[in-house]
């Protein structure tokens, strides 16, 4: 049994089966010679709502028989206890609410490296911001649902999305679009770069800005926002003696690519200008986007 987070009530050991038994044992604790020892798994189970199976937070409701559930789930079961079917009423389970205050629980991302031990009521907030929480796949084309740590994500991009990784901080890519006048379906390209022992992904997308088709390129950092701010980048596109340049800071892949696009945080090229750069007959778009990544002075 994992003893990293045990609750002991008295001397010898007895296991607890649920909230009702917990309340009974805690109330008798001063008069008992045996102890109640709870592992992490026991604590999670005790605080688990039998309806939604999520952790319960105040106000925690209970039926006359002592079965507890979320206040949000009370309406879902039409005010009937899901265990004994008795009318729930408006009884608060104060013993569970007080018990929760005493808990210190590991972050659910502990297998990914987080070592934090958290108060029960602060666990949810921490986990929503934990730097060890899994990353979502940054590929914008298929709304991929894969999540994982960085090595998992990089392997997934190479195998599942067939994205090549370019080594070095300078790059030049040519984007070709057969029908530059149509962006009914958003088109996109994703490229990966490895430099400064970090990974970056370059997005190139075609979409409508209002009613006008535009093309946009921007860089995202494969890691946390705090680390992304340590780098800068520039993008350049041109032709026919003209040049358009963008200088910026890469956004973390924690920020969805659509949010970056909608905030216009990147190099935006209007269709007419893109066609002028392309030097074509208007039936095919050929844009060469060059760029460089650098590490900002600390």
């Amino acid at each position: 049994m994992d003893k990293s987070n045990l609750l002991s009530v008295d001397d010898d050991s007895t296991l607890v089966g649920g909230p009702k038994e917990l309340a009974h044992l805690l109330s008798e604790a001063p008069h008992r010679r045996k102890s109640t020892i709870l592992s992490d798994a026991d604590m999670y189970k005790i605080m688990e709502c039998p309806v939604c199976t999520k952790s319960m937070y105040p106000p925690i409701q209970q039926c006359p028989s002592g079965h507890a559930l979320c206040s949000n789930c009370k309406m879902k079961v039409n005010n009937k206890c899901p265990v004994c079917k008795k009318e729930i009423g408006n009884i608060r389970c104060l013993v569970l609410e007080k018990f929760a205050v005493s808990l210190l629980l590991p972050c659910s991302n502990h297998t990914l490296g987080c070592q934090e031990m958290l108060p029960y009521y602060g666990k949810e907030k921490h986990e929503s911001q934990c730097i060890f929480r899994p990353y979502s796949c940054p590929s914008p084309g298929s709304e991929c649902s894969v999540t994982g740590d960085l090595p998992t994500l990089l392997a997934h991009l190479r195998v599942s999305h067939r994205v090549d990784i370019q080594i070095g901080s300078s790059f030049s890519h040519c984007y070709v679009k057969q029908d530059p006048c149509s962006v009914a379906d958003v088109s996109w390209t994703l490229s990966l770069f490895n430099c400064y022992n970090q990974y970056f992904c370059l997005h190139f997308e075609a979409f409508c800005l209002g009613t006008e088709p535009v093309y946009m390129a921007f860089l995202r950092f494969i890691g946390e926002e705090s680390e992304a701010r340590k780098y800068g980048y520039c993008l350049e596109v041109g032709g026919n003696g003209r040049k358009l340049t963008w200088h910026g800071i890469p956004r973390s892949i924690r920020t969805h690519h659509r949010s970056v696009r909608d905030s216009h945080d990147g190099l935006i090229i209007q269709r007419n200008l893109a066609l002028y750069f392309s030097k074509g007959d208007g039936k095919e778009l050929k844009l060469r986007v060059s760029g460089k990544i650098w590490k900002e002075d600390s």
Side-chain angles (χ1 to χ4, degrees):
M1 180 183 293
D2 181 7
K3 295 186 179 181
S4 62
N5 191 22
L6 299 178
L7 174 67
S8 178
V9 175
D10 216 300
D11 292 331
D12 300 321
S13 64
T14 301
L15 291 178
V16 173
K20 186 178 178 182
E21 184 179 351
L22 172 69
H24 176 69
L25 288 173
L26 291 179
S27 65
E28 286 193 346
H31 311 292
R32 293 175 60 88
R33 297 187 62 184
K34 277 191 169 185
S35 70
T36 300
I37 298 179
L38 302 178
S39 68
D40 289 341
D42 295 326
M43 294 179 188
Y44 280 120
K45 193 65 180 176
I46 287 171
M47 298 305 299
E48 183 182 279
C49 172
V51 179
C52 66
T53 69
K54 296 179 181 178
S55 297
M56 295 183 288
Y57 292 89
I60 300 174
Q61 302 291 319
Q62 71 173 26
C63 76
S65 297
H67 303 122
L69 76 162
C70 293
S71 58
N72 290 336
C73 289
K74 181 180 172 182
M75 296 301 295
K76 295 178 184 178
V77 295
N78 297 318
N79 211 36
K80 298 285 186 181
C81 175
V83 179
C84 66
K85 309 304 180 185
K86 290 183 180 178
E87 194 83 17
I88 295 175
N90 292 304
I91 306 172
R92 289 273 294 276
C93 188
L94 298 179
V95 67
L96 273 190
E97 293 181 10
K98 291 180 179 179
F99 170 67
V101 174
S102 70
L103 294 181
L104 278 179
L105 300 176
C107 173
S108 62
N109 301 309
H110 67 276
T111 57
L112 298 175
C114 185
Q115 301 298 314
E116 293 286 338
M117 294 297 293
L118 307 160
Y120 181 80
Y121 294 133
K123 185 171 182 289
E124 191 174 62
K125 181 179 179 180
H126 165 84
E127 290 177 349
S128 70
Q129 303 170 347
C130 179
I131 63 172
F132 292 96
R133 70 191 188 277
Y135 291 91
S136 297
C137 174
S139 178
S142 57
E143 295 300 331
C144 182
S145 61
V146 169
T147 62
D149 59 11
L150 294 184
T152 300
L153 217 57
L154 290 168
H156 164 74
L157 285 169
R158 297 186 70 175
V159 174
S160 299
H161 298 288
R162 299 184 179 181
V163 179
D164 292 328
I165 298 180
Q166 176 181 318
I167 307 298
S169 59
S170 298
F171 52 87
S172 180
H173 282 264
C174 186
Y175 299 99
V176 179
K177 186 168 172 43
Q178 297 299 325
D179 186 7
C181 295
S182 174
V183 289
D185 296 317
V186 172
S187 60
W188 58 272
T189 305
L190 183 70
S191 305
L192 280 180
F193 306 99
N194 175 218
C195 57
Y196 305 106
N197 294 317
Q198 303 289 351
Y199 290 87
F200 302 81
C201 51
L202 176 66
H203 293 254
F204 184 83
E205 302 191 14
F207 62 100
C208 278
L209 185 58
T211 58
E212 289 297 316
V214 297
Y215 304 94
M216 182 175 178
F218 56 89
L219 196 73
R220 288 202 292 167
F221 177 77
I222 301 184
E224 294 299 306
E225 195 72 48
S226 57
E227 290 297 311
R229 289 193 290 267
K230 297 178 181 179
Y231 299 88
Y233 76 100
C234 66
L235 297 175
E236 181 181 293
V237 62
N240 282 329
R242 277 81 172 173
K243 184 167 62 176
L244 196 61
T245 304
W246 166 267
H247 286 255
I249 298 171
R251 300 283 286 273
S252 165
I253 58 170
R254 294 286 191 200
T255 303
H256 197 279
H257 81 96
R258 195 178 297 114
S259 297
V260 181
R261 187 190 74 195
D262 292 347
S263 67
H264 307 162
D265 191 4
L267 176 65
I268 297 177
I269 314 148
Q270 294 178 339
R271 182 182 59 186
N272 291 340
L273 185 57
L275 290 172
Y276 187 73
F277 287 158
S278 187
K279 300 180 184 179
D281 56 7
K283 295 180 180 179
E284 183 181 66
L285 175 75
K286 289 184 180 180
L287 277 181
R288 179 163 295 278
V289 177
S290 303
K292 186 174 182 179
I293 305 166
W294 62 84
K295 192 168 186 178
E296 299 283 5
D297 295 332
S298 57

